[in-house]
Amino acid sequence: MAPAGQEDQVQGFAPVAAADARVLVLGSMPGVASLRQARYYAHPRNAFWPIAASVFGFDPGLEYGQRLLALQAAGVALWDVLQACERPGSLDADIRGDTLVANDFAAFLERHPAIVRVCFNGGKAAALYRRHVLPGLAVPLEYIDLPSTSPAHAAASFERKLAAWSRALKLTD
């Protein structure tokens, strides 16, 4: 039997980002469905891929690798605030605060200097970033809090989420 909490240890994914990415979308930590499939936003009811497909004009049914390429071509990078934590299940509310390890954003932003905007996929991602990452960063960025695309966030309709995400994902020069 695993030591207490060990079965709840969660490890995040590497970032998906082209060298010229301009927008970074941050979740908190992948959910159980995503971790099982080793894919960002893998839960079938998560609205992220339908929203991104609508904004950037690709088929949301594309193979996962093709969807990632479409995002990268649009200048969008994906990552999560946390590298690791303990969390039973998929809910952000269940992340154990004393176990979280933030990703190395200083190094990431150094490798991706074209990023000018960070979009938070939900309130927990924004709160974690502002508490555990932002105080140590010296890079001036625009931050946008967005409604979570998670099926657990049913308070906002798909249409409302799409409208908010559409404005945030597209940069105007």
Side-chain angles (χ1 to χ4, degrees):
M1 187 168 160
Q6 193 150 359
E7 66 277 2
D8 298 334
Q9 287 186 344
V10 183
Q11 192 75 29
F13 303 141
V16 173
D20 62 346
R22 298 185 65 213
V23 175
L24 174 60
V25 172
L26 291 176
S28 53
M29 173 61 77
V32 171
S34 293
L35 292 166
R36 282 189 186 131
Q37 296 181 45
R39 297 176 176 200
Y40 282 100
Y41 305 108
H43 192 288
R45 290 194 336 268
N46 192 298
F48 179 79
W49 289 113
I51 287 171
S54 178
V55 171
F56 297 118
F58 64 86
D59 179 351
L62 286 174
E63 187 270 317
Y64 179 68
Q66 295 300 110
R67 286 181 278 159
L68 293 178
L69 288 173
L71 276 188
Q72 291 176 72
V76 175
L78 293 180
W79 208 15
D80 288 299
V81 176
L82 300 180
Q83 173 189 341
C85 67
E86 286 184 15
R87 180 196 63 207
S90 291
L91 295 179
D92 282 347
D94 293 335
I95 293 172
R96 295 184 182 126
D98 61 336
T99 68
L100 56 85
V101 178
N103 275 310
D104 185 350
F105 283 91
F108 176 82
L109 293 168
E110 192 174 300
R111 290 189 311 272
H112 299 88
I115 289 180
V116 295
R117 179 180 293 164
V118 176
C119 297
F120 297 110
N121 191 343
K124 186 68 166 193
L128 289 168
Y129 182 93
R130 288 185 173 108
R131 179 164 187 201
H132 299 282
V133 177
L134 190 56
L137 278 186
V139 180
L141 298 168
E142 177 186 14
Y143 296 104
I144 301 178
D145 294 28
L146 292 167
S148 173
T149 60
S150 166
H153 182 62
S157 67
F158 177 83
E159 291 73 22
R160 187 173 143 234
K161 290 178 185 183
L162 177 61
W165 279 85
S166 294
R167 288 187 301 272
L169 288 176
K170 290 189 173 183
L171 286 176
T172 54
D173 291 320

